[in-house]
Amino acid sequence: IAYLTSKVTSKFRQPLNLTIAAFFAKMFPMLGQVKASSLLYIPLPPEHETVLENKKEKGGIESNIIEKLSSWTVAPLDKYGFSFYMASKLTVFLTIGGTAMLIRHGVDVS
């Protein structure tokens, strides 16, 4: 039941996860050294890479938009990604532990 409670409340914990992630990033700057964007990198097949390199060499609008979009999304992911991961694991652990404690003391959580 505790695991189900953590799954049901996962979306409601997101603001708390963001707050804790910002706190972790501030208190432990070394967490920002883990580049989470490289952990999520999906390699492209060779034929797609050559197409992207050709577009980049031409200097078209598409290449500029792709570079700006990727830098806009990668920067926060690198800075707060691992902190957010740690915060989400902490809140899941606390939710399961708190629910188990409530059940042990006889509170009806269903």
Side-chain angles (χ1 to χ4, degrees):
I1 291 180
Y3 176 75
L4 291 175
T5 303
S6 74
K7 286 298 180 185
V8 169
T9 61
S10 66
K11 296 300 177 196
F12 300 110
R13 287 193 314 264
Q14 293 307 317
L16 179 62
N17 288 342
L18 290 173
T19 306
I20 293 172
F23 175 75
F24 280 171
K26 189 83 151 170
M27 293 300 295
F28 308 106
M30 74 282 298
L31 292 176
Q33 299 296 322
V34 177
K35 301 300 179 199
S37 63
S38 63
L39 299 174
L40 299 176
Y41 174 70
I42 301 171
L44 294 173
E47 60 269 7
H48 290 296
E49 288 182 4
T50 56
V51 168
L52 287 177
E53 288 174 9
N54 290 339
K55 284 186 179 182
K56 197 179 246 188
E57 287 173 2
K58 291 179 184 175
I61 295 174
E62 299 98 6
S63 65
N64 290 337
I65 291 173
I66 290 172
E67 287 179 15
K68 287 180 183 178
L69 183 63
S70 67
S71 67
W72 182 74
T73 56
V74 167
L77 184 61
D78 282 342
K79 185 173 181 180
Y80 297 107
F82 192 64
S83 299
F84 183 78
Y85 174 77
M86 297 294 291
S88 68
K89 295 304 168 193
L90 176 69
T91 58
V92 166
F93 176 75
L94 292 176
T95 301
I96 291 174
T99 305
M101 188 172 59
L102 288 173
I103 291 171
R104 182 175 179 177
H105 289 299
V107 176
D108 184 20
V109 293
S110 60

